[in-house]
Amino acid sequence: MDSKLSLTSQKILEKQFTKNVKGYDPDEVDEFLDLVRADYMAYDSKLAEAKNYVRRLEEELKRVQDSKQELEIDNARMKKRLSGIKPGDKLNEENMEYIQRINVLEHYIYLTGVDPTKIK
């Protein structure tokens, strides 16, 4: 099916049918209505494509927003955790490994329903 529309609102408005003894030529009217129908089918197809595209974009946007929110929470948690480091303290690879291990352990503690920041 060709998605390019054959008619415009102006062409429809200006359409003149040939008159015969019984009114308008039925073949000419049928041919024109076939064009109108084909254009509506093409329009409906494009509209469905556009709606699907918008739906997919909205789903992707929601996924990105959720991911952003999770990253912001993780960022705040890391800032709080690293806030005690003094400018003179060296943050080396071993310290980062410890922090990552602690993060994983805290994650599992959160999953059990316990807030590790409240543990003394």
Side-chain angles (χ1 to χ4, degrees), residues 69-84:
Q69 185 176 12
E70 289 174 17
L71 289 172
E72 287 173 346
I73 291 169
D74 284 345
N75 187 32
R77 194 177 299 139
M78 289 297 162
K79 279 183 180 178
K80 183 177 177 184
R81 181 178 297 149
L82 298 175
S83 65

Side-chain angles (χ1 to χ4, degrees), residues 20-69:
N20 64 21
V21 189
K22 296 181 180 180
Y24 295 108
D25 180 7
D27 293 333
E28 188 179 355
V29 172
D30 283 347
E31 184 180 321
F32 183 74
L33 290 176
D34 287 343
L35 278 176
V36 172
R37 182 175 178 271
D39 277 1
Y40 265 91
M41 289 171 59
Y43 174 79
D44 287 345
S45 175
K46 285 293 181 188
L47 183 61
E49 282 179 33
K51 285 180 179 180
N52 284 334
Y53 182 68
V54 168
R55 181 186 50 78
R56 287 192 311 269
L57 288 176
E58 286 173 341
E59 288 171 356
E60 179 67 12
L61 177 62
K62 171 104 173 79
R63 188 190 65 72
V64 168
Q65 286 173 333
D66 291 346
S67 177
K68 178 184 175 232
Q69 185 176 12

Side-chain angles (χ1 to χ4, degrees), residues 60-117:
E60 179 67 12
L61 177 62
K62 171 104 173 79
R63 188 190 65 72
V64 168
Q65 286 173 333
D66 291 346
S67 177
K68 178 184 175 232
Q69 185 176 12
E70 289 174 17
L71 289 172
E72 287 173 346
I73 291 169
D74 284 345
N75 187 32
R77 194 177 299 139
M78 289 297 162
K79 279 183 180 178
K80 183 177 177 184
R81 181 178 297 149
L82 298 175
S83 65
I85 297 176
K86 298 176 197 119
D89 291 346
K90 289 193 176 184
L91 189 61
N92 60 29
E93 189 175 322
E94 185 180 347
N95 290 347
M96 285 305 295
E97 287 177 19
Y98 288 142
I99 290 171
Q100 288 172 345
R101 288 174 58 192
I102 290 170
N103 187 41
V104 170
L105 294 171
E106 282 183 347
H107 175 73
Y108 285 110
I109 292 172
Y110 271 116
L111 290 177
T112 63
V114 177
D115 184 356
T117 61

